[in-house]
Amino acid sequence: MIYEIVVDAGETANKCTIAPLATRSDFRLYRVRGEGHLGPLSAPILLHHEGQCLSELRFALPKVSALASIDCVWRRLPKLLKRVKWVDEKTPVLVKIPRGFQTAYPRVGTAATDPDGGLATIEALFIAAALFGNFDTSLLSKYYFARLFLERNLERFLELGVGEAEKLDVFPPRPHVNRNAH
């Protein structure tokens, strides 16, 4: 599966859950610079909190080989979305993650601007890929909170038919490390 991610210039590298995956061959990162167009992206699916529910669409869509997402603070999403261009002007299907998933990423600040669920970008990509039949734990390999994320959401994955979620042993427990933006 190919992952196309627009990463806003305001995303701090040490807090960005996508940045550690930038060197992977299946990731295409488009960093926001200036005011021009972003992309072009070719993914037929764009993760968006106002899209159709993925659990209702996943069997109706043909095999999905690429997912797109915009990694930014929520208030900037509409502005950035207007700048994204798509290959052959094909508009992607907007899909949202089903309710019931919980983030493991510690939030600081107001959650009032987050849509219901407020997942980290890597969490949302992982869930979408898993629901499309690509349960790829390597997506979470550089995510500090991977094990906690899978533990918190095991039941939800199983409810949605993703049995591979029981394989928590791929992420050994980690010692606590104080993290900050400095």
Side-chain angles (χ1 to χ4, degrees):
M1 186 169 288
I2 301 296
Y3 303 93
E4 297 180 315
I5 316 297
V6 172
V7 180
D8 194 7
E11 289 296 298
T12 309
N14 67 335
K15 290 184 177 181
C16 181
T17 61
I18 297 299
L21 303 171
T23 59
R24 287 177 51 138
S25 62
D26 55 347
F27 270 72
R28 313 257 184 325
L29 269 58
Y30 301 89
R31 300 209 181 265
V32 174
R33 289 177 177 52
E35 294 297 319
H37 297 302
L38 301 170
L41 305 183
S42 60
I45 303 291
L46 173 65
L47 296 180
H48 192 284
H49 67 285
E50 294 177 347
Q52 301 172 64
C53 187
L54 180 54
S55 61
E56 298 165 7
L57 283 177
R58 66 183 175 150
F59 298 116
L61 295 171
K63 180 164 172 45
V64 174
S65 59
L67 292 170
S69 181
I70 299 177
D71 190 11
C72 66
V73 295
W74 292 107
R75 70 180 183 284
R76 295 217 357 111
L77 182 60
K79 181 179 179 182
L80 292 177
L81 188 55
K82 289 179 186 174
R83 293 177 54 195
V84 174
K85 295 299 173 202
W86 302 91
V87 172
D88 299 327
E89 307 275 329
K90 292 181 181 175
T91 305
V93 176
L94 300 181
V95 300
K96 67 181 174 183
I97 301 301
R99 290 185 181 273
F101 284 98
Q102 298 175 18
T103 187
Y105 193 87
R107 302 274 184 194
V108 178
T110 90
T113 59
D114 281 2
D116 193 29
L119 298 166
T121 303
I122 193 60
E123 293 171 343
L125 282 173
F126 180 81
I127 292 166
L131 291 178
F132 280 122
N134 186 27
F135 192 87
D136 181 3
T137 56
S138 73
L139 290 174
L140 298 173
S141 65
K142 305 225 186 250
Y143 182 46
Y144 181 82
F145 306 104
R147 183 179 179 92
L148 179 59
F149 169 71
L150 289 174
E151 286 172 350
R152 283 186 179 171
N153 295 291
L154 175 61
E155 300 257 342
R156 188 66 178 126
F157 277 117
L158 295 176
E159 287 170 4
L160 293 170
V162 182
E164 298 94 337
E166 292 183 297
K167 300 173 186 170
L168 289 174
D169 55 339
V170 296
F171 298 108
R174 291 187 173 185
H176 176 72
V177 175
N178 287 329
R179 298 170 45 92
N180 63 38
H182 303 326

